[in-house]
């Protein structure tokens, strides 16, 4: 199915044309029929000569109902611009065309109707020139009469050629269904309708109500007047919803694939064309079927920040339009550049932001987003409309490569600094490093570790040997060779002296994480704490000092300070009777 919206001045024959093409009545309301005027959106469909189905969203042409018109064309990427032969180009011909242009609609047809009343030539020539200057460009044009039926076969053939050119929808894309109508059906409850531009819907699907985030269940689906189990884009759909009452979901609301969109009330956009220097401070932003008041803050020559009266599920690259409802004119089309822009607090921040925005064009740019954000979650970027094509550095975190490299350098510095500040500790706790580097997740600290940095029991140490003066490194190597298989035997003081490990050397080795100091002249190899906890955990709990000493196969000289250190690290707990129990790994 293809969906095409009408556009054009009031009384130019749009609804008559839709009626003639489809045999259906697009003006649904009694009031519309009584007044002979479209007020709200109308929907009708027919089969084209090719066999394909085309659905029309028929819009009102009267200037009072432009916001209804925008709700209809917002989600529809193709338009049939209708101009009456006997009246020619009129104000809402221009306003509707400006709206299509602002939204970037590039597929369309020009239909000059009421051709039985006047020579269609002049209207056609003028309309064609007007369209040529917009996103529609040069389009096929057909002269018809809704009254006599002349030209309708040619129009049907032209519509076939138009829909054949329309891009295929992304059927695997998440659903963002902008609601254009909602009503209640006795016995079924709330029904909403909309144009499904991408994705697919099935009975039983769970969706999210964009305004409230609440889950809603698809209870039934209709398309083209018939019940369906499943509807693929592009389609007009009526969705019967479970879990939401009609008064809480009206035009301008959206139904979303859960978790796939980001609601935002703050966005940076580029204005199309030559924006007026004196934009009003408040305009209405029309996107999808929504029209939301927006505070406008100019940033660059053609970029502004919008603060919306209510958040919308927007993506980078979305097209929208700003309109001054009081003055009946389209202030301009906008392209969404950023849906999660940084706050502008410091002096000069707005100017700096304008410089950044000058480089953006609304095409999702993963490398650029990472450069600007340094770190971002993959899910967060996809929700902004940026496809993620690089591997995360940790969890679902993505990093700008240069930023990541610098973080690695800073991590090494912070580990060294911590070691200087806390010479008795076996490395810097991961949580401390996370805070010092202002990282949002400990997993990032761990992912940054490169030799000689390494993680032991929640602490980061710089692996010894490289960082140490050669004689000290050699001495540590000897200790490792001699005591590596006896992790709880500490070299005797005279042995340390023989190896050249005096207090200064031991301090350096401890700072480098090559030795673990329990007390003056009592050192073990790093890792002894973890190993000790593993051994002690196998003892019947609680255990005595002597049981620990035996299990660790060591002396009181080592066991006493070792257990005290484990107590301080929260790995063991000393009970009132001096027995201990293992609580967890050392911090
Ligand atoms: N003679 C003639 N009248 C038409 C034609 N198309 C529409 N009309 C009449 O023009 C008036 C407005 O038509 P309508 O379809 O409601 O215009 P819309 O406001 O653009 O939807 C109605 O009275 C129609 O009967 C046409 O091709 N020929
Ligand atoms: Mg009408």
């Amino acid at each position: 199915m293809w969906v095409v919206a009408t556009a054009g001045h009031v009384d130019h024959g749009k609804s008559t044309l839709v009626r003639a093409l489809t045999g259906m009545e697009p003006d649904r309301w009694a009031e519309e029929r009584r007044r002979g005027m479209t007020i709200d959106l109308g929907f009708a469909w027919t089969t084209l000569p090719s066999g394909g189905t085309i659905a029309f969203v028929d819009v009102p042409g009267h200037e009072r109902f432009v916001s209804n018109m925008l709700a209809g064309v917002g989600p529809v990427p193709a338009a049939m611009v209708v101009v009456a032969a006997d009246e020619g180009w009129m104000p809402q011909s221009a306003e509707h065309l400006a709206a299509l242009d602002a939204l970037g609609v590039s597929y369309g047809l020009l239909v000059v109707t009421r051709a039985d009343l006047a020579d269609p030539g002049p209207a056609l020539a003028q309309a064609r020139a007007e369209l040529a200057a917009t996103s529609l460009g040069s389009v096929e044009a057909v002269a018809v009469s809704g009254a006599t039926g002349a030209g309708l076969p040619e129009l049907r053939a032209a519509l076939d050629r138009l829909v054949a050119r329309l891009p295929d929808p992304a059927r695997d894309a998440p659903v963002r269904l902008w609601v254009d109508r909602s009503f209640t059906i006795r016995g079924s409850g709330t029904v909403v309708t909309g144009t499904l531009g991408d994705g697919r819907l099935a009975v039983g699907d769970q969706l999210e109500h964009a305004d409230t985030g609440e889950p809603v269940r698809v209870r039934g689906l209709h398309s083209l007047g018939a019940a369906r189990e499943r509807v693929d884009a592009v389609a007009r759909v009526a969705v019967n919803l479970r879990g939401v009452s009609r008064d809480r979901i009206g035009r301008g609301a959206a139904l979303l694939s859960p978790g796939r969109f980001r609601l935002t009330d703050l966005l940076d956009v580029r204005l199309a064309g030559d924006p007026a220097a004196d934009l009003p401070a408040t305009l209405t932003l029309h996107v999808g079927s929504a029209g939301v008041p927006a505070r406008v803050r100019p940033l660059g020559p053609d970029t502004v920040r919008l603060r919306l009266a209510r958040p919308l599920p927007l993506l980078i690259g979305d097209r929208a339009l700003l309109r001054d409802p009081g003055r009946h004119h389209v202030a301009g089309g906008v392209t969404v550049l950023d849906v999660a822009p940084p706050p502008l607090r410091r002096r000069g921040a707005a100017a700096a932001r304008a410089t950044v925005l000058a480089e953006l064009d609304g095409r999702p740019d993963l490398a650029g987003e990472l450069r600007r954000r340094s770190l971002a979650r993959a899910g967060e970027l996809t929700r902004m409309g940026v496809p993620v094509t690089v591997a995360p550095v940790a969890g679902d975190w993505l990093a700008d490569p240069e930023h990541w490299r610098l973080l690695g350098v800073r991590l090494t510095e912070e580990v060294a600094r911590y070691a200087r500040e806390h010479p008795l500790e076996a490395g810097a706790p991961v949580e401390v490093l996370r805070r010092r580097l202002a990282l949002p997740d400990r997993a990032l600290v761990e992912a940054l570790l490169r030799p000689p940095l390494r993680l032991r029991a929640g602490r980061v140490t710089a692996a010894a040997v490289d960082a140490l003066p050669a004689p000290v490194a050699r001495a540590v190597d000897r200790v490792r060779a001699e005591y590596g298989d006896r992790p709880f035997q500490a070299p005797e003081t005279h042995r340390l002296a023989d190896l050249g490990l005096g207090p200064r050397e031991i301090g350096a080795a401890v700072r480098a994480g090559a030795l673990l100091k329990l007390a003056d002249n009592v050192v073990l190899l790093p890792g002894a704490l973890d190993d000790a906890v593993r051994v002690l955990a196998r003892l019947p709990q609680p255990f005595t000092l002597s049981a620990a000493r035996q299990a660790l196969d060591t002396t009181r000289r080592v066991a006493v300070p070792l257990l005290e250190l484990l107590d301080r690290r929260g790995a063991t707990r000393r009970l009132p009777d001096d027995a201990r129990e293992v609580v967890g790994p050392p911090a």
Side-chain angles (χ1 to χ4, degrees):
M1 187 198 314
W2 304 105
V3 183
V4 173
T6 61
H9 198 74
V10 64
D11 273 350
H12 277 204
K14 296 179 293 300
S15 300
T16 304
L17 200 55
V18 169
R19 208 175 290 125
L21 286 167
T22 66
M24 297 173 72
E25 176 54 64
D27 285 341
R28 296 169 288 121
W29 294 10
E31 186 190 355
E32 292 179 311
R33 297 195 204 162
R34 194 172 64 245
R35 291 167 66 179
M37 182 172 79
T38 311
I39 296 170
D40 205 347
L41 302 172
F43 307 96
W45 57 89
T46 188
T47 305
L48 290 170
S50 65
T53 306
I54 187 167
F56 293 99
V57 176
D58 184 37
V59 308
H62 195 281
E63 62 172 351
R64 278 179 43 210
F65 307 122
V66 170
S67 60
N68 289 346
M69 179 271 179
L70 292 172
V73 299
V76 177
M80 182 165 79
V81 179
V82 177
V83 183
D86 56 329
E87 249 193 1
W89 199 250
M90 291 291 281
Q92 269 63 53
S93 315
E95 188 173 10
H96 285 196
L97 180 62
L100 297 175
D101 187 33
L103 295 170
V105 175
S106 57
Y107 298 93
L109 268 188
L110 171 61
V111 186
V112 175
T113 186
R114 293 169 56 119
D116 55 302
L117 298 177
D119 172 12
L124 196 148
Q126 189 189 357
R128 204 180 226 151
E130 299 283 352
L131 266 62
T134 69
S135 56
L136 283 162
S138 74
V139 298
E140 213 180 320
V142 192
V144 303
S145 165
T148 69
L152 287 182
E154 288 79 1
L155 176 54
R156 287 201 175 87
L159 285 167
D160 244 334
R161 287 190 290 276
L162 171 66
V163 299
R165 290 195 299 123
L166 294 180
D168 282 330
R171 296 203 171 88
D172 292 325
V175 167
R176 178 174 55 169
L177 182 70
W178 294 102
V179 172
D180 50 33
R181 264 192 311 162
S182 75
F183 46 91
T184 329
I185 290 186
R186 196 193 296 262
S188 298
T190 306
V191 175
V192 300
T193 69
T195 302
L196 184 67
D198 286 304
R200 47 169 60 104
L201 283 173
V203 173
D205 278 357
Q206 178 150 316
L207 297 169
E208 200 173 276
H209 183 341
D211 291 350
T212 61
E214 67 194 305
V216 293
R217 179 81 61 189
V218 177
R219 188 172 171 186
L221 274 177
H222 275 69
S223 190
L224 308 180
R228 317 272 160 140
E229 272 302 303
R230 201 182 112 150
V231 178
D232 284 8
V234 175
R236 285 292 309 167
V237 288
V239 188
N240 183 194
L241 295 174
R242 196 191 297 280
V244 58
S245 70
R246 191 222 143 165
D247 52 347
R248 288 194 297 116
I249 187 157
R251 174 169 297 168
L255 290 175
L256 309 173
S257 294
R260 300 294 295 273
F261 290 88
R262 179 181 205 288
L263 275 284
T264 185
D265 60 1
L266 192 69
L267 58 153
D268 288 349
V269 303
R270 163 155 303 115
L271 301 161
D274 271 330
D278 56 341
L279 273 184
T282 304
L283 287 165
T284 303
L285 181 80
H286 292 268
V287 60
S289 61
V292 176
R295 304 272 316 159
V296 180
R297 171 168 183 182
L299 292 174
D302 62 350
T303 50
V304 297
R305 172 157 297 189
L306 301 178
R307 167 75 69 182
L308 305 181
R310 72 179 170 91
L312 292 175
L314 298 179
L315 299 172
I316 291 174
D318 272 342
R319 300 291 297 254
L321 74 83
L322 284 171
R323 186 167 172 273
D324 189 339
R327 298 215 316 232
H328 279 296
H329 93 132
V330 172
V334 307
T335 302
V336 175
L337 300 178
D338 195 346
V339 292
L344 304 175
R345 290 208 196 86
R346 284 173 292 105
R347 272 173 71 88
R353 183 63 184 160
T355 312
V356 170
L357 293 177
E359 301 294 313
L360 306 186
D361 62 4
R363 268 178 303 194
D365 163 23
L366 179 61
E369 289 304 329
L370 290 177
R371 206 164 48 244
R372 286 183 290 281
R373 297 173 198 277
S374 302
L375 285 169
R377 283 179 182 277
E380 194 52 25
L381 289 173
T382 2
R383 280 192 286 280
M384 291 169 20
V386 182
V388 168
T389 51
V390 300
V393 291
D396 75 337
W397 287 103
L398 305 179
D400 171 57
E402 177 60 11
H403 180 70
W404 191 245
R405 196 187 63 75
L406 290 175
L407 280 175
V409 172
R410 283 190 47 213
L411 179 65
T412 308
E413 289 165 5
E414 288 299 339
V415 170
R417 183 156 79 91
Y418 190 91
R420 284 194 300 278
E421 294 164 359
H422 307 272
L424 286 181
E425 292 185 23
V430 171
E431 178 57 22
V432 170
L433 294 168
R434 184 195 70 72
R435 270 188 268 114
R436 288 192 177 179
L437 296 181
L439 291 173
D441 191 330
R442 293 170 64 134
L444 291 166
V445 177
E446 294 173 19
L448 276 170
L449 298 179
R450 298 282 177 279
L453 297 186
R454 65 178 170 197
L455 182 67
R456 248 174 207 283
R459 288 175 182 255
V460 177
T461 58
V465 213
D466 310 346
L468 287 173
V472 183
R474 269 197 302 278
V476 169
D477 280 343
R478 293 288 296 276
V479 174
R480 197 176 290 125
E482 289 178 36
Y483 294 87
D485 54 352
R486 298 176 290 159
F488 310 112
Q489 305 280 318
E492 296 297 335
T493 307
H494 63 83
R495 182 69 190 126
L496 290 174
D498 287 348
L499 288 168
L501 290 173
R504 281 190 36 216
E505 288 77 8
I506 288 176
V510 167
R511 278 192 298 280
L515 290 177
L516 175 68
K517 183 169 163 179
L518 298 181
D520 281 343
N521 282 326
V522 183
V523 297
L524 295 178
L525 289 167
L529 290 186
D530 288 347
D531 294 343
V533 172
R534 254 191 304 279
V535 171
L536 297 173
R538 284 198 292 267
L539 289 175
Q541 310 286 315
F543 52 86
T544 60
L545 171 64
S546 128
R549 190 184 54 69
Q550 280 172 37
L552 297 171
D553 186 25
T554 188
T555 56
R556 284 184 61 92
R557 172 176 171 259
V558 169
V560 170
L562 176 60
L563 288 171
E564 280 167 1
L565 183 54
L566 288 174
D567 291 343
R568 287 200 299 278
R569 295 278 177 88
T572 52
R573 182 187 304 136
R574 189 169 184 171
L575 304 173
D577 60 355
D578 272 347
R580 284 185 170 82
E581 60 187 0
V582 171
V583 188

